PDB file of all heavy atoms in Angstrom:
ATOM      1  N   TYR A   1       0.811  -1.173  -0.008  1.00  0.00           N
ATOM      2  CA  TYR A   1       0.006   0.001   0.016  1.00  0.00           C
ATOM      3  C   TYR A   1       0.870   1.257  -0.035  1.00  0.00           C
ATOM      4  O   TYR A   1       0.335   2.417   0.052  1.00  0.00           O
ATOM      5  CB  TYR A   1      -0.923   0.029   1.258  1.00  0.00           C
ATOM      6  CG  TYR A   1      -1.810  -1.111   1.419  1.00  0.00           C
ATOM      7  CD1 TYR A   1      -2.185  -1.589   2.649  1.00  0.00           C
ATOM      8  CD2 TYR A   1      -2.408  -1.806   0.278  1.00  0.00           C
ATOM      9  CE1 TYR A   1      -3.052  -2.665   2.880  1.00  0.00           C
ATOM     10  CE2 TYR A   1      -3.233  -2.907   0.504  1.00  0.00           C
ATOM     11  CZ  TYR A   1      -3.569  -3.302   1.720  1.00  0.00           C
ATOM     12  OH  TYR A   1      -4.455  -4.391   1.931  1.00  0.00           O
ATOM     13  N   GLY A   2       2.177   1.084   0.009  1.00  0.00           N
ATOM     14  CA  GLY A   2       3.069   2.206   0.017  1.00  0.00           C
ATOM     15  C   GLY A   2       3.314   2.802   1.369  1.00  0.00           C
ATOM     16  O   GLY A   2       3.710   3.970   1.535  1.00  0.00           O
ATOM     17  N   LEU A   3       3.067   2.042   2.415  1.00  0.00           N
ATOM     18  CA  LEU A   3       3.199   2.490   3.815  1.00  0.00           C
ATOM     19  C   LEU A   3       4.588   2.135   4.360  1.00  0.00           C
ATOM     20  O   LEU A   3       4.995   0.972   4.370  1.00  0.00           O
ATOM     21  CB  LEU A   3       2.115   1.916   4.696  1.00  0.00           C
ATOM     22  CG  LEU A   3       0.694   2.402   4.472  1.00  0.00           C
ATOM     23  CD1 LEU A   3      -0.264   1.569   5.279  1.00  0.00           C
ATOM     24  CD2 LEU A   3       0.602   3.899   4.883  1.00  0.00           C
ATOM     25  N   ASP A   4       5.291   3.098   4.885  1.00  0.00           N
ATOM     26  CA  ASP A   4       6.561   2.876   5.522  1.00  0.00           C
ATOM     27  C   ASP A   4       6.324   2.405   6.975  1.00  0.00           C
ATOM     28  O   ASP A   4       6.098   3.224   7.841  1.00  0.00           O
ATOM     29  CB  ASP A   4       7.394   4.164   5.498  1.00  0.00           C
ATOM     30  CG  ASP A   4       8.777   3.986   6.117  1.00  0.00           C
ATOM     31  OD1 ASP A   4       9.227   2.836   6.220  1.00  0.00           O
ATOM     32  OD2 ASP A   4       9.411   4.994   6.466  1.00  0.00           O
ATOM     33  N   ASN A   5       6.347   1.089   7.159  1.00  0.00           N
ATOM     34  CA  ASN A   5       6.022   0.500   8.441  1.00  0.00           C
ATOM     35  C   ASN A   5       7.235  -0.191   9.013  1.00  0.00           C
ATOM     36  O   ASN A   5       8.158  -0.569   8.291  1.00  0.00           O
ATOM     37  CB  ASN A   5       4.827  -0.416   8.348  1.00  0.00           C
ATOM     38  CG  ASN A   5       5.155  -1.669   7.489  1.00  0.00           C
ATOM     39  OD1 ASN A   5       5.524  -2.745   8.002  1.00  0.00           O
ATOM     40  ND2 ASN A   5       4.959  -1.510   6.211  1.00  0.00           N
ATOM     41  N   LYS A   6       7.225  -0.314  10.308  1.00  0.00           N
ATOM     42  CA  LYS A   6       8.374  -0.996  10.941  1.00  0.00           C
ATOM     43  C   LYS A   6       7.846  -2.102  11.891  1.00  0.00           C
ATOM     44  O   LYS A   6       6.878  -1.980  12.636  1.00  0.00           O
ATOM     45  CB  LYS A   6       9.209   0.003  11.805  1.00  0.00           C
ATOM     46  CG  LYS A   6       9.959   0.968  10.919  1.00  0.00           C
ATOM     47  CD  LYS A   6      10.806   1.909  11.750  1.00  0.00           C
ATOM     48  CE  LYS A   6      11.756   2.741  10.854  1.00  0.00           C
ATOM     49  NZ  LYS A   6      11.069   3.406   9.751  1.00  0.00           N
ATOM     50  N   ILE A   7       8.610  -3.247  11.858  1.00  0.00           N
ATOM     51  CA  ILE A   7       8.309  -4.393  12.737  1.00  0.00           C
ATOM     52  C   ILE A   7       9.162  -4.279  14.057  1.00  0.00           C
ATOM     53  O   ILE A   7      10.327  -3.986  13.962  1.00  0.00           O
ATOM     54  CB  ILE A   7       8.652  -5.730  12.044  1.00  0.00           C
ATOM     55  CG1 ILE A   7       7.697  -5.992  10.863  1.00  0.00           C
ATOM     56  CG2 ILE A   7       8.596  -6.902  13.007  1.00  0.00           C
ATOM     57  CD1 ILE A   7       8.088  -7.158  10.002  1.00  0.00           C
ATOM     58  N   ASN A   8       8.518  -4.515  15.162  1.00  0.00           N
ATOM     59  CA  ASN A   8       9.215  -4.592  16.428  1.00  0.00           C
ATOM     60  C   ASN A   8       9.082  -6.011  16.914  1.00  0.00           C
ATOM     61  O   ASN A   8       7.971  -6.423  17.238  1.00  0.00           O
ATOM     62  CB  ASN A   8       8.680  -3.600  17.474  1.00  0.00           C
ATOM     63  CG  ASN A   8       9.444  -3.587  18.735  1.00  0.00           C
ATOM     64  OD1 ASN A   8      10.047  -4.592  19.122  1.00  0.00           O
ATOM     65  ND2 ASN A   8       9.369  -2.421  19.415  1.00  0.00           N
ATOM     66  N   LEU A   9      10.154  -6.759  17.013  1.00  0.00           N
ATOM     67  CA  LEU A   9      10.101  -8.168  17.494  1.00  0.00           C
ATOM     68  C   LEU A   9      10.273  -8.306  18.947  1.00  0.00           C
ATOM     69  O   LEU A   9       9.897  -9.328  19.530  1.00  0.00           O
ATOM     70  CB  LEU A   9      11.180  -9.022  16.739  1.00  0.00           C
ATOM     71  CG  LEU A   9      10.956  -9.245  15.249  1.00  0.00           C
ATOM     72  CD1 LEU A   9      12.172  -9.987  14.659  1.00  0.00           C
ATOM     73  CD2 LEU A   9       9.683  -9.975  15.029  1.00  0.00           C
ATOM     74  N   GLU A  10      10.783  -7.275  19.630  1.00  0.00           N
ATOM     75  CA  GLU A  10      10.931  -7.340  21.101  1.00  0.00           C
ATOM     76  C   GLU A  10       9.582  -7.241  21.765  1.00  0.00           C
ATOM     77  O   GLU A  10       9.277  -7.935  22.787  1.00  0.00           O
ATOM     78  CB  GLU A  10      11.932  -6.285  21.569  1.00  0.00           C
ATOM     79  CG  GLU A  10      13.323  -6.452  21.090  1.00  0.00           C
ATOM     80  CD  GLU A  10      14.271  -5.448  21.596  1.00  0.00           C
ATOM     81  OE1 GLU A  10      13.872  -4.601  22.448  1.00  0.00           O
ATOM     82  OE2 GLU A  10      15.495  -5.466  21.304  1.00  0.00           O
ATOM     83  N   ASP A  11       8.759  -6.299  21.315  1.00  0.00           N
ATOM     84  CA  ASP A  11       7.382  -6.170  21.821  1.00  0.00           C
ATOM     85  C   ASP A  11       6.529  -6.309  20.520  1.00  0.00           C
ATOM     86  O   ASP A  11       6.196  -5.318  19.920  1.00  0.00           O
ATOM     87  CB  ASP A  11       7.149  -4.802  22.499  1.00  0.00           C
ATOM     88  CG  ASP A  11       7.955  -4.707  23.787  1.00  0.00           C
ATOM     89  OD1 ASP A  11       7.526  -5.305  24.741  1.00  0.00           O
ATOM     90  OD2 ASP A  11       8.951  -3.967  23.765  1.00  0.00           O
ATOM     91  N   PRO A  12       6.243  -7.543  20.151  1.00  0.00           N
ATOM     92  CA  PRO A  12       5.827  -7.833  18.814  1.00  0.00           C
ATOM     93  C   PRO A  12       4.644  -6.973  18.287  1.00  0.00           C
ATOM     94  O   PRO A  12       3.561  -6.947  18.894  1.00  0.00           O
ATOM     95  CB  PRO A  12       5.435  -9.300  18.856  1.00  0.00           C
ATOM     96  CG  PRO A  12       6.262  -9.867  19.993  1.00  0.00           C
ATOM     97  CD  PRO A  12       6.306  -8.759  21.008  1.00  0.00           C
ATOM     98  N   GLY A  13       4.936  -6.325  17.177  1.00  0.00           N
ATOM     99  CA  GLY A  13       3.917  -5.481  16.538  1.00  0.00           C
ATOM    100  C   GLY A  13       4.466  -4.725  15.330  1.00  0.00           C
ATOM    101  O   GLY A  13       5.618  -4.911  14.962  1.00  0.00           O
ATOM    102  N   ILE A  14       3.618  -3.902  14.766  1.00  0.00           N
ATOM    103  CA  ILE A  14       3.933  -3.077  13.568  1.00  0.00           C
ATOM    104  C   ILE A  14       3.588  -1.623  13.898  1.00  0.00           C
ATOM    105  O   ILE A  14       2.543  -1.345  14.428  1.00  0.00           O
ATOM    106  CB  ILE A  14       3.198  -3.596  12.343  1.00  0.00           C
ATOM    107  CG1 ILE A  14       3.672  -5.024  11.956  1.00  0.00           C
ATOM    108  CG2 ILE A  14       3.410  -2.644  11.170  1.00  0.00           C
ATOM    109  CD1 ILE A  14       2.989  -5.595  10.766  1.00  0.00           C
ATOM    110  N   TYR A  15       4.504  -0.781  13.498  1.00  0.00           N
ATOM    111  CA  TYR A  15       4.398   0.670  13.807  1.00  0.00           C
ATOM    112  C   TYR A  15       4.384   1.503  12.522  1.00  0.00           C
ATOM    113  O   TYR A  15       5.088   1.159  11.575  1.00  0.00           O
ATOM    114  CB  TYR A  15       5.602   1.075  14.703  1.00  0.00           C
ATOM    115  CG  TYR A  15       5.545   0.515  16.086  1.00  0.00           C
ATOM    116  CD1 TYR A  15       5.933  -0.843  16.264  1.00  0.00           C
ATOM    117  CD2 TYR A  15       5.100   1.215  17.159  1.00  0.00           C
ATOM    118  CE1 TYR A  15       5.892  -1.359  17.562  1.00  0.00           C
ATOM    119  CE2 TYR A  15       5.069   0.680  18.454  1.00  0.00           C
ATOM    120  CZ  TYR A  15       5.460  -0.658  18.603  1.00  0.00           C
ATOM    121  OH  TYR A  15       5.383  -1.172  19.843  1.00  0.00           O
ATOM    122  N   LEU A  16       3.572   2.579  12.549  1.00  0.00           N
ATOM    123  CA  LEU A  16       3.582   3.614  11.558  1.00  0.00           C
ATOM    124  C   LEU A  16       3.887   4.951  12.290  1.00  0.00           C
ATOM    125  O   LEU A  16       3.189   5.312  13.225  1.00  0.00           O
ATOM    126  CB  LEU A  16       2.218   3.714  10.878  1.00  0.00           C
ATOM    127  CG  LEU A  16       1.733   2.545  10.057  1.00  0.00           C
ATOM    128  CD1 LEU A  16       0.279   2.799   9.543  1.00  0.00           C
ATOM    129  CD2 LEU A  16       2.663   2.200   8.920  1.00  0.00           C
ATOM    130  N   GLU A  17       4.961   5.581  11.891  1.00  0.00           N
ATOM    131  CA  GLU A  17       5.386   6.828  12.470  1.00  0.00           C
ATOM    132  C   GLU A  17       5.457   6.731  14.023  1.00  0.00           C
ATOM    133  O   GLU A  17       4.921   7.608  14.726  1.00  0.00           O
ATOM    134  CB  GLU A  17       4.436   7.959  12.059  1.00  0.00           C
ATOM    135  CG  GLU A  17       4.438   8.192  10.534  1.00  0.00           C
ATOM    136  CD  GLU A  17       3.485   9.264  10.066  1.00  0.00           C
ATOM    137  OE1 GLU A  17       2.662   9.745  10.918  1.00  0.00           O
ATOM    138  OE2 GLU A  17       3.550   9.720   8.898  1.00  0.00           O
ATOM    139  N   ASN A  18       6.025   5.631  14.485  1.00  0.00           N
ATOM    140  CA  ASN A  18       6.187   5.432  15.885  1.00  0.00           C
ATOM    141  C   ASN A  18       4.879   5.205  16.720  1.00  0.00           C
ATOM    142  O   ASN A  18       4.914   5.352  17.916  1.00  0.00           O
ATOM    143  CB  ASN A  18       7.061   6.512  16.568  1.00  0.00           C
ATOM    144  CG  ASN A  18       8.463   6.584  15.976  1.00  0.00           C
ATOM    145  OD1 ASN A  18       9.087   5.547  15.875  1.00  0.00           O
ATOM    146  ND2 ASN A  18       8.952   7.781  15.701  1.00  0.00           N
ATOM    147  N   LYS A  19       3.832   4.994  15.995  1.00  0.00           N
ATOM    148  CA  LYS A  19       2.541   4.649  16.608  1.00  0.00           C
ATOM    149  C   LYS A  19       2.194   3.158  16.345  1.00  0.00           C
ATOM    150  O   LYS A  19       2.506   2.694  15.215  1.00  0.00           O
ATOM    151  CB  LYS A  19       1.404   5.561  16.168  1.00  0.00           C
ATOM    152  CG  LYS A  19       1.612   6.991  16.597  1.00  0.00           C
ATOM    153  CD  LYS A  19       0.457   7.843  16.156  1.00  0.00           C
ATOM    154  CE  LYS A  19       0.680   9.301  16.602  1.00  0.00           C
ATOM    155  NZ  LYS A  19      -0.473  10.194  16.150  1.00  0.00           N
ATOM    156  N   LYS A  20       1.542   2.494  17.259  1.00  0.00           N
ATOM    157  CA  LYS A  20       1.329   1.071  17.091  1.00  0.00           C
ATOM    158  C   LYS A  20       0.089   0.799  16.255  1.00  0.00           C
ATOM    159  O   LYS A  20      -1.050   1.225  16.700  1.00  0.00           O
ATOM    160  CB  LYS A  20       1.265   0.400  18.432  1.00  0.00           C
ATOM    161  CG  LYS A  20       1.381  -1.178  18.305  1.00  0.00           C
ATOM    162  CD  LYS A  20       1.892  -1.789  19.534  1.00  0.00           C
ATOM    163  CE  LYS A  20       2.307  -3.247  19.282  1.00  0.00           C
ATOM    164  NZ  LYS A  20       2.781  -3.945  20.437  1.00  0.00           N
ATOM    165  N   LEU A  21       0.234   0.125  15.159  1.00  0.00           N
ATOM    166  CA  LEU A  21      -0.907  -0.233  14.321  1.00  0.00           C
ATOM    167  C   LEU A  21      -1.390  -1.639  14.542  1.00  0.00           C
ATOM    168  O   LEU A  21      -2.604  -1.882  14.521  1.00  0.00           O
ATOM    169  CB  LEU A  21      -0.470  -0.055  12.856  1.00  0.00           C
ATOM    170  CG  LEU A  21      -1.496  -0.520  11.767  1.00  0.00           C
ATOM    171  CD1 LEU A  21      -2.634   0.530  11.747  1.00  0.00           C
ATOM    172  CD2 LEU A  21      -0.865  -0.681  10.423  1.00  0.00           C
ATOM    173  N   ALA A  22      -0.490  -2.560  14.753  1.00  0.00           N
ATOM    174  CA  ALA A  22      -0.804  -3.979  14.942  1.00  0.00           C
ATOM    175  C   ALA A  22      -0.029  -4.612  16.018  1.00  0.00           C
ATOM    176  O   ALA A  22       1.091  -4.229  16.329  1.00  0.00           O
ATOM    177  CB  ALA A  22      -0.568  -4.725  13.590  1.00  0.00           C
ATOM    178  N   SER A  23      -0.694  -5.569  16.694  1.00  0.00           N
ATOM    179  CA  SER A  23      -0.090  -6.322  17.770  1.00  0.00           C
ATOM    180  C   SER A  23      -0.256  -7.819  17.564  1.00  0.00           C
ATOM    181  O   SER A  23      -1.248  -8.239  16.931  1.00  0.00           O
ATOM    182  CB  SER A  23      -0.719  -5.903  19.119  1.00  0.00           C
ATOM    183  OG  SER A  23      -0.608  -4.557  19.386  1.00  0.00           O
ATOM    184  N   VAL A  24       0.635  -8.619  18.063  1.00  0.00           N
ATOM    185  CA  VAL A  24       0.561 -10.025  17.965  1.00  0.00           C
ATOM    186  C   VAL A  24       0.944 -10.666  19.294  1.00  0.00           C
ATOM    187  O   VAL A  24       1.862 -10.204  19.930  1.00  0.00           O
ATOM    188  CB  VAL A  24       1.402 -10.565  16.792  1.00  0.00           C
ATOM    189  CG1 VAL A  24       2.889 -10.328  16.987  1.00  0.00           C
ATOM    190  CG2 VAL A  24       1.126 -12.065  16.531  1.00  0.00           C
ATOM    191  N   GLY A  25       0.183 -11.677  19.665  1.00  0.00           N
ATOM    192  CA  GLY A  25       0.514 -12.498  20.859  1.00  0.00           C
ATOM    193  C   GLY A  25      -0.007 -13.906  20.642  1.00  0.00           C
ATOM    194  O   GLY A  25      -1.112 -14.103  20.232  1.00  0.00           O
ATOM    195  N   MET A  26       0.845 -14.872  20.884  1.00  0.00           N
ATOM    196  CA  MET A  26       0.553 -16.256  20.546  1.00  0.00           C
ATOM    197  C   MET A  26       0.702 -17.159  21.771  1.00  0.00           C
ATOM    198  O   MET A  26       1.295 -16.784  22.748  1.00  0.00           O
ATOM    199  CB  MET A  26       1.482 -16.758  19.411  1.00  0.00           C
ATOM    200  CG  MET A  26       1.487 -15.956  18.114  1.00  0.00           C
ATOM    201  SD  MET A  26      -0.156 -15.924  17.265  1.00  0.00           S
ATOM    202  CE  MET A  26      -0.396 -17.689  16.986  1.00  0.00           C
ATOM    203  N   ARG A  27       0.197 -18.336  21.621  1.00  0.00           N
ATOM    204  CA  ARG A  27       0.333 -19.373  22.629  1.00  0.00           C
ATOM    205  C   ARG A  27       0.428 -20.687  21.858  1.00  0.00           C
ATOM    206  O   ARG A  27      -0.216 -20.901  20.811  1.00  0.00           O
ATOM    207  CB  ARG A  27      -0.869 -19.402  23.521  1.00  0.00           C
ATOM    208  CG  ARG A  27      -0.799 -20.399  24.679  1.00  0.00           C
ATOM    209  CD  ARG A  27       0.018 -19.977  25.806  1.00  0.00           C
ATOM    210  NE  ARG A  27      -0.073 -20.875  26.986  1.00  0.00           N
ATOM    211  CZ  ARG A  27       0.594 -20.644  28.068  1.00  0.00           C
ATOM    212  NH1 ARG A  27       1.297 -19.563  28.284  1.00  0.00           N
ATOM    213  NH2 ARG A  27       0.431 -21.510  29.093  1.00  0.00           N
ATOM    214  N   ILE A  28       1.175 -21.654  22.431  1.00  0.00           N
ATOM    215  CA  ILE A  28       1.310 -23.006  21.784  1.00  0.00           C
ATOM    216  C   ILE A  28       0.888 -24.040  22.814  1.00  0.00           C
ATOM    217  O   ILE A  28       1.311 -24.008  23.972  1.00  0.00           O
ATOM    218  CB  ILE A  28       2.723 -23.268  21.287  1.00  0.00           C
ATOM    219  CG1 ILE A  28       3.086 -22.308  20.141  1.00  0.00           C
ATOM    220  CG2 ILE A  28       2.887 -24.725  20.864  1.00  0.00           C
ATOM    221  CD1 ILE A  28       4.513 -22.407  19.690  1.00  0.00           C
ATOM    222  N   ARG A  29       0.053 -24.982  22.372  1.00  0.00           N
ATOM    223  CA  ARG A  29      -0.392 -26.085  23.258  1.00  0.00           C
ATOM    224  C   ARG A  29      -0.612 -27.272  22.364  1.00  0.00           C
ATOM    225  O   ARG A  29      -1.280 -27.254  21.346  1.00  0.00           O
ATOM    226  CB  ARG A  29      -1.650 -25.687  23.966  1.00  0.00           C
ATOM    227  CG  ARG A  29      -2.194 -26.843  24.845  1.00  0.00           C
ATOM    228  CD  ARG A  29      -3.352 -26.366  25.748  1.00  0.00           C
ATOM    229  NE  ARG A  29      -4.026 -27.480  26.374  1.00  0.00           N
ATOM    230  CZ  ARG A  29      -3.540 -28.169  27.438  1.00  0.00           C
ATOM    231  NH1 ARG A  29      -2.352 -27.815  27.917  1.00  0.00           N
ATOM    232  NH2 ARG A  29      -4.213 -29.185  27.988  1.00  0.00           N
ATOM    233  N   ARG A  30      -0.033 -28.402  22.807  1.00  0.00           N
ATOM    234  CA  ARG A  30      -0.195 -29.731  22.128  1.00  0.00           C
ATOM    235  C   ARG A  30       0.102 -29.593  20.650  1.00  0.00           C
ATOM    236  O   ARG A  30      -0.585 -30.168  19.779  1.00  0.00           O
ATOM    237  CB  ARG A  30      -1.639 -30.265  22.333  1.00  0.00           C
ATOM    238  CG  ARG A  30      -2.000 -30.410  23.817  1.00  0.00           C
ATOM    239  CD  ARG A  30      -3.365 -31.053  23.954  1.00  0.00           C
ATOM    240  NE  ARG A  30      -3.366 -32.419  23.462  1.00  0.00           N
ATOM    241  CZ  ARG A  30      -4.440 -33.224  23.368  1.00  0.00           C
ATOM    242  NH1 ARG A  30      -5.634 -32.721  23.682  1.00  0.00           N
ATOM    243  NH2 ARG A  30      -4.339 -34.428  22.895  1.00  0.00           N
ATOM    244  N   ASN A  31       1.174 -28.890  20.333  1.00  0.00           N
ATOM    245  CA  ASN A  31       1.641 -28.699  18.928  1.00  0.00           C
ATOM    246  C   ASN A  31       0.734 -27.884  18.077  1.00  0.00           C
ATOM    247  O   ASN A  31       0.793 -27.978  16.806  1.00  0.00           O
ATOM    248  CB  ASN A  31       1.943 -30.066  18.278  1.00  0.00           C
ATOM    249  CG  ASN A  31       3.053 -30.758  18.921  1.00  0.00           C
ATOM    250  OD1 ASN A  31       4.147 -30.201  19.133  1.00  0.00           O
ATOM    251  ND2 ASN A  31       2.867 -32.012  19.275  1.00  0.00           N
ATOM    252  N   TYR A  32      -0.190 -27.097  18.643  1.00  0.00           N
ATOM    253  CA  TYR A  32      -0.988 -26.127  17.888  1.00  0.00           C
ATOM    254  C   TYR A  32      -0.803 -24.782  18.435  1.00  0.00           C
ATOM    255  O   TYR A  32      -0.623 -24.557  19.643  1.00  0.00           O
ATOM    256  CB  TYR A  32      -2.494 -26.528  18.068  1.00  0.00           C
ATOM    257  CG  TYR A  32      -2.925 -27.668  17.225  1.00  0.00           C
ATOM    258  CD1 TYR A  32      -2.612 -29.028  17.584  1.00  0.00           C
ATOM    259  CD2 TYR A  32      -3.587 -27.459  16.010  1.00  0.00           C
ATOM    260  CE1 TYR A  32      -3.004 -30.088  16.802  1.00  0.00           C
ATOM    261  CE2 TYR A  32      -3.984 -28.541  15.238  1.00  0.00           C
ATOM    262  CZ  TYR A  32      -3.698 -29.808  15.621  1.00  0.00           C
ATOM    263  OH  TYR A  32      -4.090 -30.876  14.828  1.00  0.00           O
ATOM    264  N   SER A  33      -0.847 -23.819  17.523  1.00  0.00           N
ATOM    265  CA  SER A  33      -0.828 -22.388  17.908  1.00  0.00           C
ATOM    266  C   SER A  33      -2.255 -21.931  18.136  1.00  0.00           C
ATOM    267  O   SER A  33      -3.201 -22.490  17.547  1.00  0.00           O
ATOM    268  CB  SER A  33      -0.145 -21.532  16.857  1.00  0.00           C
ATOM    269  OG  SER A  33      -0.919 -21.534  15.673  1.00  0.00           O
TER     270      SER A  33
END
């Protein structure tokens, strides 16, 4: 889309102009996410 975005892997998410657009949090159990 032409958006200059940045990934942060330490606090997992995606940022636009230093603001948080997306967040991710996962869990694994019995070989399923």
Side-chain angles (χ1 to χ4, degrees):
Y1 303 147
L3 288 171
D4 183 16
N5 66 93
K6 291 182 170 51
I7 294 173
N8 185 333
L9 290 176
E10 292 183 4
D11 294 285
I14 294 178
Y15 292 77
L16 296 176
E17 298 178 350
N18 296 316
K19 294 182 178 180
K20 195 157 194 180
L21 176 71
S23 301
V24 62
M26 303 297 300
R27 182 81 173 182
I28 294 174
R29 177 170 171 77
R30 301 186 67 187
N31 294 311
Y32 281 79
S33 66

